[in-house]
């Protein structure tokens, strides 16, 4: 009834058990390192930034699109799972600074965030409500050079990729990374799935036509 690992007849711990214990210990250390970092200032290894375009002219300002976003509108029941990712938490911030670090959030009235987890990857989606397209473009530029969104779910930032887009007066940030316990993961599909949540802005455009 002890806590010591089993040994072979020669008195040595089996190699397979040693390997399993090392892998488990590394996973715990990786998760602990993420928590220790405080989730304050990680950045993605790869970021694609995109300014707004004429496609979003009808929602280029909050004056033209004054209705606030809602959690139910952005994160519907149909998006509880995105491919192999499952939704873990949803949050809404009246103070956009709570969802950002190193970036000024002047004129931002709300930020909504959802986190998703899967077997080998995890990710998050954030949407911010800004005054107009110019402010949204400035936010995207700042995300590319000054700061970023706060990380709210455990994954390795050094093995992550993100996309920040200005869509009219909104900014969306999709960010996917390899889970701390995983050796590797294909992040293309999770990132595409997370980016699909930005369809809420296309719905606003259709409502404005």
């Amino acid at each position: 009834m002890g806590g010591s690992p089993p040994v072979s007849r020669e008195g040595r711990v089996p190699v397979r058990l040693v390997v399993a214990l090392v892998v488990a210990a590394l996973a715990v250390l990786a998760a602990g390192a993420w928590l220790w970092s405080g989730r304050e200032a990680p950045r993605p290894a790869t970021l694609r930034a995109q300014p707004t375009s004429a496609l979003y002219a009808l929602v280029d300002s909050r004056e033209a699109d004054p209705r606030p976003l809602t959690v139910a509108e952005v994160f519907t029941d149909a998006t509880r799972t995105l491919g192999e990712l499952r939704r873990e938490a949803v949050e809404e911030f009246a103070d956009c600074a709570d969802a950002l670090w190193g970036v000024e959030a002047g004129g931002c009235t709300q930020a909504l965030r959802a986190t998703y987890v899967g077997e080998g990857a995890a990710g998050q989606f954030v949407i911010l409500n800004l005054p107009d397209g110019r402010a949204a473009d400035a936010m995207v530029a700042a995300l590319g050079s000054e700061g970023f969104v706060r990380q709210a779910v455990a994954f390795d930032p050094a093995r992550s990729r993100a996309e920040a887009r200005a869509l009219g007066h909104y900014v969306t940030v999709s960010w996917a990374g390899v889970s701390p316990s995983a050796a590797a993961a294909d992040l293309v599909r999770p990132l595409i799935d997370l980016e699909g949540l930005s369809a809420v802005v296309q719905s606003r455009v259709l409502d404005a036509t």
Side-chain angles (χ1 to χ4, degrees):
M1 296 297 292
S4 301
V7 296
S8 66
R9 291 182 178 179
E10 291 77 15
R12 291 176 297 182
V13 179
V15 174
R16 289 183 179 178
L17 180 58
V18 172
V19 172
L21 290 173
V22 169
V23 171
L26 289 175
V28 170
L29 287 173
W34 176 79
L35 292 171
W36 179 257
S37 71
R39 297 171 292 175
E40 291 298 313
R43 294 188 58 82
T46 302
L47 172 65
R48 180 172 179 266
Q50 181 179 330
T52 191
S53 70
L55 293 174
Y56 301 96
L58 292 176
V59 293
D60 193 59
S61 72
R62 195 182 292 137
E63 290 183 356
D65 175 43
R67 182 165 48 91
L69 295 166
T70 67
V71 168
E73 178 186 10
V74 180
F75 306 116
T76 65
D77 287 342
T79 62
R80 288 184 182 276
T81 59
L82 298 175
E84 296 183 357
L85 299 175
R86 63 185 181 281
R87 193 161 68 213
E88 187 176 58
V90 172
E91 300 169 276
E92 180 174 9
F93 305 98
D95 185 350
C96 297
D98 291 337
L100 300 162
W101 67 265
V103 179
E104 292 295 327
C108 184
T109 56
Q110 61 175 164
L112 281 68
R113 179 174 71 196
T115 56
Y116 285 80
V117 297
E119 290 299 322
Q124 61 188 56
F125 177 85
V126 180
I127 184 167
L128 302 114
N129 189 334
L130 294 158
D132 53 40
R134 291 186 301 277
D137 282 348
M139 172 71 76
V140 167
L143 292 172
S145 60
E146 298 174 16
F148 206 62
V149 297
R150 297 184 188 274
Q151 186 179 353
V153 63
F155 58 75
D156 184 0
R159 297 184 295 164
S160 72
R161 57 193 302 169
E163 182 160 345
R165 301 174 65 196
L167 308 174
H169 71 100
Y170 299 104
V171 169
T172 64
V173 181
S174 307
W175 191 8
V178 179
S179 298
S181 60
D186 180 7
L187 299 179
V188 174
R189 185 73 254 174
L191 190 61
I192 291 173
D193 290 336
L194 289 167
E195 181 58 27
L197 293 167
S198 65
V200 65
V201 182
Q202 284 83 49
S203 295
R204 288 293 182 102
V205 172
L206 290 175
D207 289 345
T209 58

